Amino acid sequence: MALPVYVFRKHTSSAGRIGIEVYCDGVSFGQVQGGVYFTHELSPGKHTFISTDKRFLVEIDAVNGGVYYIEFSLLQRPVGLGSRAVVRIAQVSNQVGEAEIKGLKPR
């Protein structure tokens, strides 16, 4: 049984145009830009989501009947630590995820 995972990124300032590469179990799902979401089907079992940044990851143990929401965002680094942003990944509740994607565009 395929289980849906929604990957999204809220709209932010000009940084929203920068695509964040999304990987699940080492396979690229493509990029997500600000203000956009996409869905992908998971098989039951453990899955790991990460970006090219690799500082944050989300692990999901997908079970039959489950629906999952993962938010990607760019965090600005403090001054003095370089100009490269940090990619944050977080699983959010279904209630939060459903509300967030209503204002976003599908990829």
Side-chain angles (χ1 to χ4, degrees):
M1 175 178 206
L3 308 166
V5 59
Y6 291 82
V7 175
F8 70 95
R9 185 169 162 210
K10 294 186 262 187
H11 184 70
T12 57
S13 62
S14 61
R17 293 187 298 245
I18 299 170
I20 297 174
E21 194 74 27
V22 177
Y23 295 91
C24 178
D25 302 329
V27 176
S28 175
F29 280 7
Q31 292 188 345
V32 61
Q33 282 81 20
V36 174
Y37 77 92
F38 65 86
T39 59
H40 196 79
E41 301 288 320
L42 297 176
S43 58
K46 294 184 186 242
H47 299 279
T48 302
F49 287 82
I50 197 163
S51 76
T52 50
D53 189 314
K54 298 181 181 169
R55 294 179 206 185
F56 293 89
L57 61 85
V58 166
E59 293 180 327
I60 291 177
D61 191 2
V63 296
N64 286 333
V67 178
Y68 305 93
Y69 293 86
I70 300 176
E71 179 181 6
F72 281 70
S73 58
L74 281 178
L75 303 175
Q76 294 301 104
R77 294 181 90 178
V79 176
L81 294 180
S83 60
R84 189 167 170 225
V86 175
V87 177
R88 181 181 163 274
I89 306 169
Q91 182 177 1
V92 299
S93 70
N94 289 8
Q95 182 179 11
V96 169
E98 288 170 8
E100 292 289 353
I101 66 168
K102 284 183 182 178
L104 305 177
K105 296 178 184 178
R107 179 177 78 178

